[in-house]
Amino acid sequence: MIALSLSLLLGGGRRGLARLLLVVAGVAVGVVFLLGALAIGPARDLQDARVSLRQGPPGAPPSTTRPAVLWDASRSSFGAIGGRPLAVIEVAATGPGAPLPLGASRVPAPGEVFVSPALRRLLDSPRGRVYRLRFPGRVDGALGRAVLHDPTELVAMVGMPPARLGDATRVTSWSAPAPEPSNGSSFDRRLVYLLAALGVLIPTGVFIAASTRIGASTRERRFAALRLAGATPQQVATAAALEAAAAGLLGGVLGLVAALALRTQAARFGIAGYAAFPADLSPPLWQVATVLVATPVLAAAAALGSMRRVVVTPLGVQRRRRPRTPSARRLIPLVLSWAELALAVHIGDGLGPDGKLVALGAGFSGVILGIVIAGPWLVGALAASIARAARGAGTLIAGRRLQASPGTAFRAVGGAVLGVFAATAVLVYLPSHDRWATRGDRVAAHVAPRPVDATVAVYRNGAPPSRTDLLAARLAAIPGVHMVLPAMPVHFRRAGFDANGVFGACADARRVLHVALGCLRHGVLVTRATQLEIGDPLRIRGIRTTVAGYLPDDAAVSAVIPPGVVSAPPHPTSWVLETDGSLATAQRVRAAQTASGLLGDVETTAPDTFSITTEDPLRRQAELAVALMLSIAGCSLVVMMIEGIVERRRELAMLAAAGTDPRALRTSVALEILIPLAVASVASCTVGVIVTATLLRVRGIDLVVPWADLGQLLAATAVVGAAVLAAGLPMLSRVIRPDNLRTE
């Protein structure tokens, strides 16, 4: 039977070879998606481990006498290069024999800067001359994977004198115990990873099973010939399973080869903002082996399932009975799965973290499978309406075809529908979670402060005052910096907070803050947010003064203190700058702060400040899942459209030979895809909103429905469906040629 199955698989002439290639290609694409989805989790763990080691390396006590590398990765990441966040690491060696820094071949000397490959490309760009001003030294080295999160990260390692890094971490060895898992958002992260994996793996399995059914009717006719030759039903079933398994195995091996080839290019491109080093994309070997074994098994099961309602006799292929119209009872699995999901949410912590994840994952998986089961009923109910409302031959053919085989019609769009469901869940979850995460940061409506050219704030951390004085002098000497005014926090007892106050004459403060100020001789100017009245007493630097007036509501500081009222602090650590506003000046300001060796923050109005310090890993993971799901949806549409045309080529050719307008045939094929796709996508989107709302109750998160994003998702799905149809119409034109009847 094995030899017979292989001969059936490889025989059949050009059409048989084309059918085999389609099956193998479909399975290979599915395997690539599966291996890619399985590799994301381990890659994410490796990336997070590198960042964790970079931010918190194993430090030795200051009393150690071993040579150490001084490591300070606490530089503020508000700075950016080319609109992207930049991480700066300062290093120095205490003596010969110090361990090498992560990702570097040697310790950069003072005045040297090592950069990541992505940052190197940015520095070599047309604007690189300006970006190089950001670093207080020469760029003379490259950083490797050990210190980078991913290939697109911008990281700079700056060599410093050891005396400037007295409070940095002393690293004598990079070996450290694995960091303990965080308890803060670990459940949220595990839940998102689980649902994203299910949202990719289950539809991919459905896609692989559907790919193995291409050309099923032709195989059934072959099995009839086997029965005529004396084969038993069991032998025919065995031959069908072995043939499908062999095709699945070929597709699995091809998919593994393709995945390995794509992995070598992983650093060159990203999906949904996600990029990885090739070495990171390495799922466990047991998972790869499971995929290779499960693929032919799934293909064989799909082949046996396709023959479940078929009797192969020596006289041909007979249906046991006319397929019944799907009933509303197909909604029961979907409803039960949602009920189980709601029950798991209601019980909540009573199940424990792991039990809750299992229950939520089971409910979510049941909902996905419930959509697959309920889909034919929706298509069948829709088909009757289309047939009754038909006004042309194309619409009538489409309606009758959908009525005759609603299951096949839904299978053609099932992958896209599942993609819409998974994408809807992600699009609804993200804004809801973001609003919940920032609920404590909401403030009353206020007038946004007018931005100032630049602000610099540093922390002495035991450094001598001369360090900050030297930094102030260097800031004032930078080309493009016109004025530097010192600032310091001022406590407002009535308001109950400390706010930034700038010291300087009224005319100077007007220039620096870019606001209109009424100059005064005595007292200070404050904002109305301080809740102080004119004449109220204030104490600044131990000196009593009064409120003499108010600053405009859009002022960037809360107080202006004239030098005749309170003298400026002798060794300030914060300054407000008036500059020419250029990017080059902003980069020089940042370079001066880095060269000082003082930890601090720099913010400018030039496009080199990044307002978000870290990107939400949940968002990147979710967006990647959406991209994968939509890719699977497009591939599923392509495969199933090809199968639909191939399986019906005889009927289509006979209709064309009988005089049916080819435009009507094209219209019928298009409507058979677009109408179920549109209706099922809307229904799947609705189910996605309901299921996500149920899941959000686990964390007590209010539902936020991004209507515009969901509308764009449905529109994009329709565009993808139309594009796939447009690409398949030339194939349809060849199928309906009259000369095809001679070969059918």
Side-chain angles (χ1 to χ4, degrees):
M1 293 304 298
I2 295 177
L4 178 60
S5 300
L6 292 178
S7 65
L8 291 175
L9 178 67
L10 301 176
R14 289 183 301 174
R15 288 191 175 181
L17 179 60
R19 184 168 57 251
L20 173 62
L21 292 178
L22 286 175
V23 173
V24 171
V27 174
V29 170
V31 169
V32 169
F33 281 122
L34 276 177
L35 294 179
L38 293 173
I40 292 173
R44 190 56 135 178
D45 292 339
L46 290 173
Q47 292 172 339
D48 291 345
R50 289 198 297 268
V51 173
S52 178
L53 182 60
R54 183 179 80 193
Q55 297 295 334
S63 58
T64 182
T65 59
R66 294 175 57 189
V69 59
L70 302 179
W71 183 276
D72 188 352
S74 57
R75 280 283 168 192
S76 172
S77 57
F78 284 108
I81 292 280
R84 296 160 58 188
L86 170 70
V88 178
I89 307 169
E90 296 177 346
V91 298
T94 61
L100 295 178
L102 287 177
S105 59
R106 60 183 177 85
V107 180
E112 287 185 329
V113 181
F114 294 174
V115 297
S116 62
L119 181 55
R120 167 70 74 174
R121 291 192 296 270
L122 203 55
L123 296 179
D124 292 339
S125 66
R127 302 197 69 175
R129 182 180 58 84
V130 176
Y131 293 142
R132 284 176 181 266
L133 298 174
R134 171 67 176 81
F135 306 107
R138 64 185 183 278
V139 178
D140 193 27
L143 296 177
R145 166 174 166 262
V147 76
L148 303 178
H149 179 274
D150 58 73
T152 65
E153 192 179 25
L154 305 183
V155 179
M157 184 179 293
V158 181
M160 301 290 289
R164 295 291 180 90
L165 297 179
D167 56 347
T169 303
R170 302 174 65 87
V171 180
T172 57
S173 173
W174 289 106
S175 60
E180 296 183 0
S182 172
N183 294 326
S185 60
S186 59
F187 179 80
D188 288 346
R189 178 174 179 175
R190 292 171 64 194
L191 177 61
V192 171
Y193 280 15
L194 174 64
L195 300 185
L198 293 175
V200 172
L201 296 179
I202 294 178
T204 303
V206 173
F207 168 67
I208 292 176
S211 298
T212 61
R213 297 183 61 180
I214 297 177
S217 62
T218 301
R219 289 199 299 269
E220 290 171 357
R221 290 196 294 270
R222 286 184 174 183
F223 298 146
L226 287 177
R227 289 284 286 123
L228 186 61
T232 64
Q234 290 77 14
Q235 290 175 326
V236 169
T238 302
L242 291 175
E243 181 185 359
L249 181 60
L250 289 175
V253 173
L254 179 61
L256 176 61
V257 173
L260 293 175
L262 291 175
R263 192 184 75 155
T264 62
Q265 305 299 316
R268 297 178 177 270
F269 62 89
I271 302 176
Y274 182 93
F277 290 102
D280 292 342
L281 296 174
S282 300
L285 290 178
W286 69 267
Q287 293 183 359
V288 177
T290 300
V291 170
L292 293 179
V293 172
T295 300
V297 172
L298 180 61
L304 293 176
S306 66
M307 298 182 62
R308 182 170 51 89
R309 295 183 180 179
V310 175
V311 173
V312 180
T313 70
L315 299 180
V317 179
Q318 251 183 2
R319 298 286 171 184
R320 288 178 177 170
R321 58 183 180 275
R322 184 179 182 273
R324 292 180 298 180
T325 302
S327 66
R329 286 179 294 182
R330 284 177 169 264
L331 292 173
I332 294 177
L334 179 61
V335 175
L336 290 179
S337 298
W338 176 81
E340 189 273 340
L341 194 66
L343 180 62
V345 171
H346 178 71
I347 297 175
D349 295 335
L351 298 172
D354 293 336
K356 186 161 51 173
L357 284 175
V358 171
L360 294 176
F364 191 75
S365 302
V367 168
I368 295 178
L369 297 178
I371 293 174
V372 176
I373 296 172
W377 168 79
L378 179 63
V379 174
L382 178 66
S385 302
I386 296 174
R388 286 194 300 268
R391 293 294 182 269
T395 307
L396 181 60
I397 293 173
R400 296 306 183 193
R401 173 65 181 173
L402 293 176
Q403 276 186 306
S405 184
T408 302
F410 179 77
R411 193 169 69 247
V413 300
V417 170
L418 294 179
V420 169
F421 168 78
T424 298
V426 172
L427 292 176
V428 174
Y429 176 85
L430 290 178
S432 302
H433 182 273
D434 290 345
R435 177 176 293 184
W436 171 77
T438 59
R439 67 191 186 280
D441 299 333
R442 298 173 186 166
V443 296
H446 65 283
V447 178
R450 183 172 304 191
V452 295
D453 295 339
T455 60
V456 179
V458 296
Y459 310 94
R460 282 176 47 192
N461 291 335
S466 59
R467 294 268 295 275
T468 58
D469 296 343
L470 179 61
L471 175 58
R474 287 180 173 175
L475 291 175
I478 292 175
V481 175
H482 304 316
M483 185 174 296
V484 179
L485 293 184
M488 69 172 289
V490 178
H491 180 69
F492 299 99
R493 180 176 301 176
R494 179 174 299 180
F497 62 83
D498 291 343
N500 199 34
V502 64
F503 293 82
C506 185
D508 295 340
R510 182 190 300 123
R511 289 177 52 190
V512 171
L513 301 178
H514 304 297
V515 294
L517 298 179
C519 294
L520 38 131
R521 295 178 180 271
H522 304 287
V524 301
L525 297 175
V526 299
T527 61
R528 298 182 186 275
T530 60
Q531 303 179 11
L532 295 173
E533 303 290 341
I534 295 178
D536 285 352
L538 272 177
R539 181 181 290 273
I540 301 175
R541 297 194 60 232
I543 299 176
R544 293 182 179 273
T545 182
T546 59
V547 176
Y550 292 115
L551 291 170
D553 292 337
D554 59 349
V557 297
S558 296
V560 172
I561 303 104
V565 176
V566 179
S567 61
H571 305 290
T573 58
S574 179
W575 302 269
V576 181
L577 284 61
E578 182 200 9
T579 73
D580 57 8
S582 68
L583 178 60
T585 300
Q587 304 289 27
R588 292 189 179 100
V589 170
R590 292 186 179 277
Q593 185 258 325
T594 300
S596 70
L598 297 169
L599 179 65
D601 293 329
V602 177
E603 294 188 28
T604 75
T605 55
D608 73 330
T609 297
F610 199 73
S611 59
I612 302 176
T613 57
T614 56
E615 187 175 1
D616 185 359
L618 296 182
R619 176 174 292 276
R620 292 185 67 184
Q621 182 79 11
E623 290 175 349
L624 180 61
V626 171
L628 289 175
M629 282 306 311
L630 293 181
S631 300
I632 294 172
C635 295
S636 177
L637 280 176
V638 171
V639 170
M640 300 314 297
M641 186 198 67
I642 293 174
E643 181 196 12
I645 294 177
V646 170
E647 291 294 299
R648 297 172 53 205
R649 60 184 181 274
R650 175 186 296 179
E651 292 83 353
L652 293 172
M654 292 179 64
L655 287 172
T660 305
D661 190 346
R663 288 179 299 180
L665 295 178
R666 296 189 186 96
T667 301
S668 68
V669 172
L671 292 179
E672 288 176 30
I673 294 290
L674 293 180
I675 293 179
L677 177 63
V679 177
S681 295
V682 172
S684 180
C685 184
T686 304
V687 174
V689 173
I690 296 173
V691 171
T692 308
T694 305
L695 289 171
L696 289 172
R697 289 187 56 194
V698 175
R699 309 296 294 173
I701 303 176
D702 295 331
L703 178 67
V704 177
V705 182
W707 299 108
D709 292 341
L710 295 182
Q712 293 177 3
L713 172 65
L714 294 176
T717 304
V719 170
V720 170
V724 170
L725 281 172
L729 288 180
M731 180 180 178
L732 175 64
S733 299
R734 291 192 297 270
V735 166
I736 62 177
R737 291 184 306 185
D739 58 346
N740 280 329
L741 289 176
R742 292 186 304 219
T743 59
E744 291 296 335

